[in-house]
Amino acid sequence: MIKKLSLISLFTMLPASFYYAQTTVFAYLKDADGKPVEKAQVDLKGEGNGVSADKIGYFQFVDLKTGHYQIVVTKPNFETKTLEFDITTEKRKDLGVITLYSTLTGADQGLAILDNGDDEGGNQSSTVGLLQSSQDVFNRIASFDLGAYWFRPRGVDGRTSENILNGVSMVKSDNGNVDFSNWGGLNEIVRYPEIASNHSPSEYAFGGASGVIYKNTKASEYRKGFQAVYSITNRNYRQRVSLRYTSGMSKSGWAFTVMGAKRWAEEGIQDGTFYDAYGTYLGVEKKISNNHTITFNAFASPTRRSTSSPNTQEVYDYRGVHYNSYWGWQNGEKRNERVRKAFQPIFQLQDFLKINKNSNLWTSVSYQFGKDRGSRLDWQNVQNPSPTYYKKLPSYFSNSIDYNAYHNNTDPALYATLEAGRVAALSDWQNNNEDVTQLNWNAMYKTNMSNDAVDQADMAKRYGLTGRRAKYFLVDDVSDDKIWNAATHYTYNFSDKSKFLLNVSYQNYRSEYYREVNDMLGADYVLAVDPFAQSNRQGSSGLYDVNDTSLAKHVGDRISYNYILRRQEVKVNPGIKFSTGNFDVFVSGLFGYSTSNREGLFQHYLYQNTSLGKSQDFNYWNYGLKSQIVYRLNGRNFLVYNGAYFTQAPFLEDIFINPRNNNYAAPGIKNTKINANDLSYVMSTPRIKMRVTGYIVDTQDDTNVQRFFADGLSLATSTNDENTGVADQTASAFVVQTMSNVDKRNMGAEFGVDYKILPTLSFQGVANWGDYTYRNNPTVYFASDVVAAPYVAYGKTNIKGMKVGGTPQKAFSAGLRYSDPHYWWVGANWNYLDDNNLDPNAITRSDEWIQNNASSTPYTNLTQEKIDYYMRQKKLPSAHFINANVGKSWIFGKYYLLISASVNNILDNTKYITGGFEQIRNSNGNVDFENDYNSKTPNFAPKYWYTQGRSYFVNLQVRF
């Protein structure tokens, strides 16, 4: 501070022409009680190390030229606050009083509180040009505490969000999701994004209904020096280490930041899982002049990890919530069949140009490439090897006994066999015979390596192949991405109270999808012929690619499917912000165009005219309008309205029903239309921070696609008798269920409060009361690799009025946080979640499901009362949890040390179901379905994911 003041005195002695048009910017830092905050670090992004606030909370920057600036204010036990401002021709710019809160609080909807008057904020300045990186208490708790239990604010699909990294979108065109593992472990690089919550407008992109997250990673914005972090946890990984170095801006205008991180676990909290992930970052910044900067950013995060299975309640009852069916013992080690390997580096170049004192132009170019592969077991002409395959569970034998009794099959030998199977299976599962309850790798190797003379003779006769055919083998499902992005962000400041913005973006997405042989498990080759060919089409070749006559495949060879998805998209997003009187207004528009297609590289034997080559182009125009109106009742009370109406083109995986095999699209697929509105009352005083919001989000013409592996698919039917419907063959296969033209309404209220009981003690409370429902009966389609049709149309599905699944619709949280002046804190909160439902299985609730194909009338065993009973939605149990956290920081000269710890689910509640799905079969509602449904342990019961129980996270950070 003394150095800064002496510089002011020095410059007053220089000729005026030297410092003409240079400005001093200053402000005061205070806490929520109006007391000065001393020793807070204030960094001016891109301008070196920054300054520290003095004993009265005062700080200043001198000799700033005209331009656009950002400052970051940090202090242990206080929120990190990011502010931006513009300098034109003024000699001194007063930012007023900046209030720092002891927890991550602040006015919602992007409002940053800067006081230019008394403690009541009577002279509240305009919010135009200001931003805040921290979230309000509701959004923070919803993200970190409730979000750990799959709570989704407002129930809105995350595919309607926008995630911007260094100016370009990270949303993938295939499914609309963001793969955060591409920068996994680099917490300190991407920690403080700027967030426009829900459907509020953003300066950087139009976004959707679930927010815009924007982050720039300029090398000079990080604190100069080293930062080392070590963490231990019992979650998906066990340990994490990272090291970051930042050079600061040199006199020649160069800045560098490098970081490396590693996360790993020999076994995670779920049985048989492991984690091995790296994260690396390189940031280079060149300051060409005060008005021109270029940055280069590179992210490379190779990842290798395994996953865990969803299971029926029967399986959890036997083996507990950490049970995982995807692993088994091999040579004394646990081997998991589901392993994901990904390496898709990102390279980005940005140009920051200040055109003149009023306008700025930021331009970005990004390229991402690489492969994401996931392994799984496959098999031919043998039983599903999964230990949880329904025919291996005790329930199958019990239900088979009941089935035969119902159908008057009285063979004593059959009953004896089934009872013996039930007793043996029950003993195996209760006593955890891991040869049965886990994958039996040894048995699969033995099957493949046995000298099956009959099979070898058959292969030689039919295909001219010699050697041992793989009946069990591992495959990799691979996506090979090549993604170009370019974007421009232009701003023009008419004045301090009005601004024009323009964002233009372009994405070129190309990804090749294929399956390749990973491991033949001791066999000599894998046969590239569909094992269900005779059921699908008798006498057909069964070739996945009729142009490939090399039927013996080996490790690395492609099998089953191979195709390319392409999409190009352009978005234009103009916006204007202005203040007038007590109003702040932000209006943002959208004009967009996308074109998508599929190109098949295999000519599938079932779809020889529609599988090979390019499909038609699917072209969509998008448009939209967002607005935010803030009315300042006074400096501490606000009314905030956010409104949005926009369309969103379907993603690639929505368009093509079964892209693995053909070019068919869902009939009548169209743009999704979203109409969202909310109204908030926001209060921000030294003692209380509060937001109350009512919201309604209407979605029309949406496309809902579910892809998963299903058991018990009927391939053919030997009789049309409505009371039997006995299937010739059942299969376990990949299936796709598509609902088109889906209408939904998400409405409810949010409440968040942060009340300061004492200067160091705060109460934080959150409540969400939602009602998310389907508003129509959409059309449903079914497709599968084992069904000899492009898709099967099931007509309308009767889900109108049912709840949208995937998130609790009622959520509450209450907690206390103590922040001691000596830089330590402790907090705890209670969380309650309710009204969580499984998404309804559309096929089970379709008219086609209850029809007898022979008579085109409902099955005689089904009454309307039974239909209503079977179609009722599965509601999951409510639950409550207690979380706690504690931390302490120290400063030893140039060294900063922070240790923090958190524990979730302290009471170890393992009965909460975080999500799941109803299993699907392309069968009908005959008596066998009815009997299975009413069983205590149905063969095709829903599959669930459970909360993982008590978990902890301990973090040690050192800066020097």
Side-chain angles (χ1 to χ4, degrees):
M1 176 57 64
I2 295 175
K3 181 179 178 181
K4 289 289 182 182
L5 293 176
S6 65
L7 287 174
I8 296 176
S9 300
L10 175 63
F11 281 130
T12 59
M13 295 184 291
L14 296 176
S17 59
F18 183 84
Y19 57 87
Y20 179 75
Q22 294 179 335
T23 301
T24 297
V25 175
F26 63 94
Y28 292 86
L29 302 180
K30 294 186 178 182
D31 64 17
D33 296 311
K35 297 179 180 179
V37 178
E38 62 175 312
K39 296 183 179 179
Q41 182 72 23
V42 186
D43 294 317
L44 189 63
K45 288 189 175 183
E47 300 294 331
N49 292 333
V51 298
S52 296
D54 64 13
K55 291 185 177 181
I56 62 173
Y58 177 83
F59 72 88
Q60 69 176 13
F61 292 97
V62 300
D63 304 330
L64 298 186
K65 297 183 179 181
T66 58
H68 182 79
Y69 294 90
Q70 289 186 349
I71 59 173
V72 180
V73 185
T74 57
K75 182 177 173 66
N77 297 343
F78 287 85
E79 66 175 356
T80 293
K81 182 167 288 187
T82 303
L83 306 172
E84 65 177 19
F85 57 90
D86 293 293
I87 294 177
T88 53
T89 59
E90 62 266 56
K91 291 292 186 180
R92 293 174 62 82
K93 189 175 186 69
D94 184 358
L95 297 182
V97 174
I98 301 175
T99 304
L100 298 182
Y101 301 110
S102 61
T103 56
L104 290 174
T105 63
D108 188 39
Q109 312 297 344
L111 302 178
I113 304 301
L114 270 71
D115 299 333
N116 288 331
D118 55 26
D119 287 342
E120 297 303 318
N123 296 320
Q124 179 68 32
S125 67
S126 167
T127 61
V128 171
L130 303 177
L131 61 91
Q132 184 168 346
S133 62
S134 61
Q135 298 173 297
D136 77 341
V137 63
F138 180 92
N139 289 324
R140 183 178 60 82
I141 290 178
S143 298
F144 294 99
D145 289 285
L146 301 177
Y149 309 109
W150 289 23
F151 172 74
R152 196 167 65 230
R154 304 189 182 183
V156 175
D157 188 345
R159 301 195 310 167
T160 66
S161 68
E162 185 72 88
N163 195 294
I164 307 293
L165 182 62
N166 294 316
V168 300
S169 174
M170 292 291 103
V171 175
K172 297 189 69 175
S173 291
D174 56 349
N175 55 23
N177 294 321
V178 176
D179 190 351
F180 294 96
S181 66
N182 287 323
W183 50 89
L186 302 174
N187 305 42
E188 291 75 27
I189 296 296
V190 295
R191 170 157 291 174
Y192 299 115
E194 299 169 25
I195 300 172
S197 301
N198 306 308
H199 58 271
S200 61
S202 165
E203 291 196 8
Y204 304 102
F206 185 82
S210 55
V212 175
I213 299 175
Y214 177 85
K215 177 61 184 177
N216 260 336
T217 58
K218 297 175 70 174
S220 66
E221 75 175 14
Y222 301 102
R223 187 182 300 273
K224 184 178 179 180
F226 288 91
Q227 176 175 283
V229 177
Y230 174 70
S231 307
I232 57 174
T233 180
N234 69 335
R235 298 173 185 174
N236 292 333
Y237 59 89
R238 298 289 185 173
Q239 299 183 78
R240 173 182 179 265
V241 294
S242 71
L243 180 66
R244 188 193 75 200
Y245 171 73
T246 297
S247 67
M249 186 64 72
S250 69
K251 293 182 179 179
S252 59
W254 287 94
F256 301 88
T257 293
V258 294
M259 181 176 176
K262 177 177 173 61
R263 295 166 293 162
W264 73 95
E266 293 185 7
E267 185 169 50
I269 194 169
Q270 294 296 103
D271 294 340
T273 60
F274 67 85
Y275 204 101
D276 187 19
Y278 295 84
T280 60
Y281 168 77
L282 170 64
V284 181
E285 183 175 348
K286 171 58 178 174
K287 187 175 182 179
I288 298 174
S289 69
N290 289 330
N291 296 327
H292 194 190
T293 300
I294 295 177
T295 67
F296 171 77
N297 294 282
F299 300 84
S301 300
T303 302
R304 181 176 176 268
R305 61 182 178 85
S306 58
T307 61
S308 59
S309 62
N311 302 294
T312 62
Q313 188 59 51
E314 176 188 12
V315 173
Y316 285 122
D317 289 341
Y318 292 133
R319 302 305 331 141
V321 298
H322 296 304
Y323 171 78
N324 177 16
S325 69
Y326 292 157
W327 70 271
W329 292 103
Q330 183 180 354
N331 299 325
E333 296 184 359
K334 291 181 177 180
R335 182 179 182 181
N336 194 307
E337 62 152 313
R338 305 291 178 97
V339 177
R340 181 188 175 191
K341 299 178 183 177
F343 184 52
Q344 296 181 311
I346 305 169
F347 300 98
Q348 299 176 316
L349 191 65
Q350 265 188 300
D351 182 271
F352 298 86
L353 176 64
K354 181 168 183 59
I355 300 173
N356 54 47
K357 67 179 183 179
N358 294 324
S359 57
N360 297 276
L361 181 67
W362 302 352
T363 303
S364 308
V365 177
S366 173
Y367 179 60
Q368 180 178 7
F369 67 97
K371 296 179 181 181
D372 188 332
R373 61 179 69 233
S375 67
R376 67 176 307 131
L377 276 168
D378 202 353
W379 55 95
Q380 293 181 353
N381 305 114
V382 286
Q383 193 179 74
N384 186 337
S386 171
T388 58
Y389 180 53
Y390 75 102
K391 290 186 177 181
K392 298 180 180 180
L393 296 173
S395 59
Y396 170 74
F397 299 97
S398 298
N399 293 335
S400 295
I401 292 172
D402 294 339
Y403 168 90
N404 283 282
Y406 183 89
H407 290 289
N408 297 317
N409 296 329
T410 58
D411 181 3
L414 174 63
Y415 277 88
T417 300
L418 291 174
E419 177 60 20
R422 185 193 68 82
V423 172
L426 185 62
S427 175
D428 288 334
W429 279 94
Q430 288 180 338
N431 298 305
N432 195 24
N433 177 1
E434 292 183 338
D435 286 339
V436 175
T437 61
Q438 303 298 152
L439 286 173
N440 195 327
W441 292 101
N442 292 333
M444 287 185 276
Y445 271 88
K446 183 178 180 180
T447 299
N448 283 354
M449 298 176 68
S450 64
N451 186 17
D452 189 339
V454 174
D455 184 72
Q456 291 192 45
D458 182 53
M459 292 298 101
K461 179 180 179 181
R462 295 172 61 185
Y463 305 113
L465 301 177
T466 60
R468 295 169 296 190
R469 174 172 66 98
K471 296 181 179 180
Y472 296 104
F473 52 98
L474 273 175
V475 296
D476 281 339
D477 292 313
V478 183
S479 62
D480 186 355
D481 294 348
K482 293 178 176 61
I483 307 171
W484 283 99
N485 278 286
T488 293
H489 173 70
Y490 173 77
T491 61
Y492 184 85
N493 295 309
F494 297 103
S495 68
D496 286 343
K497 293 188 175 183
S498 61
K499 175 190 289 188
F500 170 76
L501 308 112
L502 178 64
N503 300 298
V504 180
S505 64
Y506 167 75
Q507 184 179 89
N508 187 317
Y509 177 91
R510 179 194 185 276
S511 186
E512 184 174 355
Y513 299 81
Y514 57 90
R515 174 172 286 183
E516 68 181 17
V517 179
N518 174 302
D519 191 334
M520 296 186 292
L521 305 185
D524 296 318
Y525 67 90
V526 175
L527 179 63
V529 175
D530 183 0
F532 303 111
Q534 293 306 306
S535 298
N536 284 334
R537 184 172 298 168
Q538 290 188 4
S540 63
S541 67
L543 298 180
Y544 298 116
D545 183 7
V546 298
N547 299 313
D548 183 1
T549 58
S550 58
L551 302 184
K553 300 300 180 183
H554 305 88
V555 173
D557 290 341
R558 299 185 182 185
I559 189 172
S560 299
Y561 65 88
N562 192 6
Y563 64 95
I564 297 171
L565 292 180
R566 296 186 181 89
R567 182 186 181 99
Q568 295 187 72
E569 184 169 31
V570 177
K571 294 180 181 179
V572 180
N573 168 220
I576 188 167
K577 301 176 72 173
F578 63 91
S579 290
T580 177
N582 289 334
F583 288 93
D584 293 332
V585 179
F586 187 178
V587 179
S588 176
L590 170 68
F591 307 95
Y593 175 78
S594 68
T595 180
S596 306
N597 63 63
R598 173 193 182 272
E599 181 181 356
L601 303 179
F602 278 5
Q603 188 171 9
H604 196 277
Y605 76 100
L606 288 175
Y607 316 105
Q608 296 192 34
N609 296 325
T610 57
S611 56
L612 185 65
K614 287 186 62 176
S615 70
Q616 70 178 84
D617 289 333
F618 292 85
N619 304 318
Y620 296 94
W621 289 93
N622 285 324
Y623 58 90
L625 187 68
K626 286 186 175 183
S627 63
Q628 180 182 84
I629 302 174
V630 179
Y631 178 69
R632 298 188 301 275
L633 300 169
N634 53 45
R636 294 298 186 186
N637 296 272
F638 309 85
L639 292 177
V640 182
Y641 166 76
N642 288 289
Y645 181 85
F646 58 94
T647 64
Q648 180 171 291
F651 296 102
L652 286 161
E653 291 186 1
D654 297 337
I655 296 173
F656 300 101
I657 289 185
N658 191 8
R660 291 185 173 191
N661 291 339
N662 56 62
N663 291 332
Y664 286 98
I669 191 169
K670 60 186 71 171
N671 295 62
T672 300
K673 303 176 182 67
I674 297 176
N675 184 5
N677 295 272
D678 68 37
L679 182 63
S680 300
Y681 167 66
V682 179
M683 174 189 292
S684 181
T685 72
R687 185 172 291 273
I688 185 169
K689 314 294 178 296
M690 182 180 70
R691 173 169 67 85
V692 182
T693 302
Y695 60 86
I696 181 169
V697 182
D698 283 340
T699 304
Q700 292 180 293
D701 298 328
D702 196 14
T703 300
N704 181 300
V705 180
Q706 293 177 304
R707 290 179 167 88
F708 49 89
F709 202 77
D711 292 326
L713 295 173
S714 301
L715 300 186
T717 302
S718 61
T719 176
N720 286 322
D721 184 276
E722 64 181 37
N723 289 321
T724 58
V726 179
D728 286 334
Q729 187 179 4
T730 59
S732 302
F734 181 79
V735 301
V736 183
Q737 176 182 273
T738 302
M739 289 192 296
S740 65
N741 302 322
V742 181
D743 293 351
K744 296 177 288 186
R745 168 166 286 180
N746 295 27
M747 61 185 300
E750 297 172 341
F751 172 74
V753 62
D754 188 323
Y755 178 73
K756 191 168 289 294
I757 303 171
L758 299 170
T760 55
L761 181 64
S762 297
F763 166 81
Q764 297 173 342
V766 159
N768 179 82
W769 190 274
D771 183 32
Y772 319 143
T773 58
Y774 291 100
R775 301 188 70 198
N776 71 329
N777 293 323
T779 306
V780 61
Y781 305 94
F782 172 83
S784 174
D785 295 344
V786 300
V787 177
Y791 55 83
V792 178
Y794 276 79
K796 298 292 185 180
T797 180
N798 299 291
I799 63 171
K800 184 177 181 180
M802 291 188 177
K803 301 279 189 174
V804 177
T807 179
Q809 302 195 12
K810 312 293 188 297
F812 307 90
S813 180
L816 294 172
R817 179 182 174 95
Y818 176 80
S819 298
D820 192 88
H822 297 93
Y823 309 123
W824 65 269
W825 76 89
V826 62
N829 64 336
W830 167 85
N831 307 283
Y832 177 80
L833 301 107
D834 196 4
D835 199 10
N836 192 5
N837 304 271
L838 291 188
D839 240 350
N841 179 341
I843 288 180
T844 303
R845 294 165 176 83
S846 66
D847 290 336
E848 180 72 17
W849 178 82
I850 66 172
Q851 296 290 332
N852 178 6
N853 293 331
S855 62
S856 297
T857 60
Y859 286 92
T860 56
N861 61 289
L862 291 180
T863 63
Q864 187 60 49
E865 182 180 4
K866 287 184 177 180
I867 292 173
D868 293 340
Y869 175 73
Y870 296 141
M871 290 185 178
R872 65 179 180 173
Q873 192 168 14
K874 178 66 176 179
K875 183 175 181 179
L876 304 178
S878 60
H880 65 89
F881 307 92
I882 295 177
N883 301 341
N885 61 84
V886 64
K888 176 75 170 79
S889 65
W890 298 264
I891 296 178
F892 305 100
K894 295 183 179 180
Y895 291 85
Y896 170 81
L897 176 66
L898 168 68
I899 185 168
S900 61
S902 63
V903 181
N904 283 357
N905 193 4
I906 291 176
L907 302 181
D908 197 26
N909 181 352
T910 58
K911 297 181 179 180
Y912 178 63
I913 298 172
T914 56
F917 57 91
E918 296 181 340
Q919 292 199 72
I920 184 174
R921 292 179 295 168
N922 60 332
S923 60
N924 296 317
N926 55 37
V927 293
D928 295 332
F929 178 92
E930 182 179 0
N931 290 337
D932 183 60
Y933 186 95
N934 291 322
S935 170
K936 291 183 180 180
T937 51
N939 291 339
F940 301 100
K943 288 192 173 182
Y944 303 120
W945 285 279
Y946 271 80
T947 185
Q948 298 178 342
R950 185 185 300 114
S951 64
Y952 63 85
F953 193 92
V954 180
N955 194 65
L956 174 67
Q957 180 187 128
V958 180
R959 290 203 307 257
F960 54 95

